Amino acid sequence: MKVGFIGTGVMGTGIINNLLKAGNEVTVYNRTKAHAQEVLDNGAKWADNPADATKNNDVVMSMVGFPQDVEQIYYGQNGILAAATSKQVLVEMTTSKPSLAQKLDRDAREKGLHIIDAPVSGGDIGAKNGTLTMMVGGDKVDLEKITPLLKQFSSQIHYFGSAGSGQHAKMANQIMIAGTMTGMSEMLAYAKVANLNLQEVIKTVSGGAGENWSLSNYGPRILRNDYTPGFFAKHFLKDLRIALEEAEKMKLNLPATRDAKRLYEVLVDEKGLGNDGTQALIELWWK
């Protein structure tokens, strides 16, 4: 297929590489062209703006950083909505606000366009290996049209209902991850002070009821002092803030998630480590 892709960050790069490996023709746009060099070297074509990345493609995907970035690439000058046609399916994969996904859906439908919100989970490893889990909201018919394409980089695709429900599912996912990240950090801090072999601790905990994705994937990185981002800490903080905003709208109290947000605010806002990976949370205990 012919695919337009806006956003060549850590996750987007892995997804685009898998699309290229599967034989698709991919045209990309990124705010900083240098960050797209890897996929350009692998065969992707460059577009000068989101509209140019949209034109003449079957599917247009986007994965950027923040809700305001989503608004810019869709509604801004040379935006996606200005160039899209009714023959295309737009796939908004940024983890963003459910309300924004619903607004995009309304505005797209008014123009006769087709859009789904489809955030993913699995980090840089999942993007690279093509094993992401996708959470989808929008018209199920639109999803079914492009499911074979989505399976080229996703091992699981879950449909949750109308526009915005994919984003709500991603918020639930991030709430769960908040618990595993804080749990892993405090577990390692405790084990270190207790003078335990941390590699053996990770191996032991991963073999029992404490097993979880964060520990298996980020624990070894922490022991190597590797804080390169599989997922940026600043983006995770954004997600936790959105989750708590949505919970407040639903009159739901999430104290543990509030505590995780507070810790990530220290990491990102006070220590200035937002461009590190989420595993850098351990820095609050280790340095």
Side-chain angles (χ1 to χ4, degrees):
M1 298 183 76
K2 297 178 68 176
V3 180
F5 203 106
I6 293 94
T8 59
V10 175
M11 298 280 286
T13 294
I15 293 170
I16 293 164
N17 283 334
N18 278 302
L19 290 170
L20 290 168
K21 288 176 187 176
N24 301 288
E25 181 181 315
V26 184
T27 302
V28 302
Y29 168 76
N30 193 68
R31 189 162 47 194
T32 305
K33 187 176 181 179
H35 293 167
Q37 196 57 52
E38 179 180 333
V39 296
L40 294 174
D41 289 344
N42 289 337
K45 299 178 180 179
W46 175 255
D48 288 326
N49 53 60
D52 286 347
T54 300
K55 294 172 183 175
N56 303 315
N57 287 311
D58 304 305
V59 177
V60 181
M61 300 180 179
S62 53
M63 181 179 280
V64 291
F66 294 86
Q68 58 264 36
D69 299 322
V70 175
E71 293 190 85
Q72 179 61 38
I73 64 171
Y74 274 87
Y75 294 102
Q77 187 176 12
N78 296 315
I80 295 170
L81 291 181
T85 71
S86 60
K87 295 180 179 180
Q88 299 170 312
V89 177
L90 310 178
V91 184
E92 217 306 283
M93 300 169 65
T94 311
T95 299
S96 183
K97 295 182 178 182
S99 58
L100 178 54
Q102 292 164 351
K103 180 178 186 295
L104 279 169
D105 180 78
R106 288 193 301 269
D107 293 342
R109 300 296 167 184
E110 285 181 3
K111 293 174 173 286
L113 306 177
H114 304 271
I115 187 169
I116 59 175
D117 52 290
V120 297
S121 181
D124 60 330
I125 296 171
K128 181 179 179 180
N129 294 337
T131 57
L132 293 170
T133 295
M134 177 173 282
M135 295 149 265
V136 183
D139 191 325
K140 193 172 185 179
V141 173
D142 293 335
L143 170 61
E144 290 171 347
K145 286 178 185 177
I146 61 169
T147 293
L149 181 72
L150 302 179
K151 285 184 175 179
Q152 293 172 5
F153 58 86
S154 303
S155 59
Q156 296 187 53
I157 300 171
H158 299 280
Y159 177 71
F160 284 93
S162 61
S165 59
Q167 294 293 353
H168 277 302
K170 183 61 184 289
M171 289 302 109
N173 182 83
Q174 301 306 73
I175 289 166
M176 181 72 235
I177 291 174
T180 62
M181 293 302 292
T182 56
M184 174 183 65
S185 298
E186 292 194 349
M187 179 273 288
L188 287 173
Y190 180 95
K192 184 176 182 180
V193 173
N195 294 314
L196 301 180
N197 182 309
L198 296 184
Q199 289 184 336
E200 284 299 308
V201 168
I202 290 175
K203 182 178 179 181
T204 301
V205 175
S206 295
E211 178 187 14
N212 66 82
W213 192 96
S214 296
L215 179 60
S216 298
N217 288 277
Y218 288 138
R221 296 191 192 189
I222 288 172
L223 298 195
R224 297 194 302 269
N225 293 313
D226 178 5
Y227 301 123
T228 54
F231 192 74
F232 285 107
K234 64 184 179 182
H235 291 163
F236 191 56
L237 174 58
K238 171 261 299 182
D239 296 350
L240 295 180
R241 285 170 169 162
I242 292 173
L244 288 167
E245 287 173 7
E246 294 298 323
E248 185 176 352
K249 291 177 184 177
M250 297 184 286
K251 302 188 185 306
L252 177 65
N253 184 30
L254 300 176
T257 305
R258 278 204 312 275
D259 287 344
K261 177 182 76 78
R262 178 181 59 80
L263 291 170
Y264 273 98
E265 284 175 337
V266 174
L267 183 71
V268 175
D269 297 336
E270 295 182 22
K271 293 189 174 294
L273 297 176
N275 288 322
D276 282 355
T278 52
Q279 71 272 25
L281 188 67
I282 193 69
E283 296 280 84
L284 302 187
W285 287 269
W286 281 11
K287 289 188 179 181

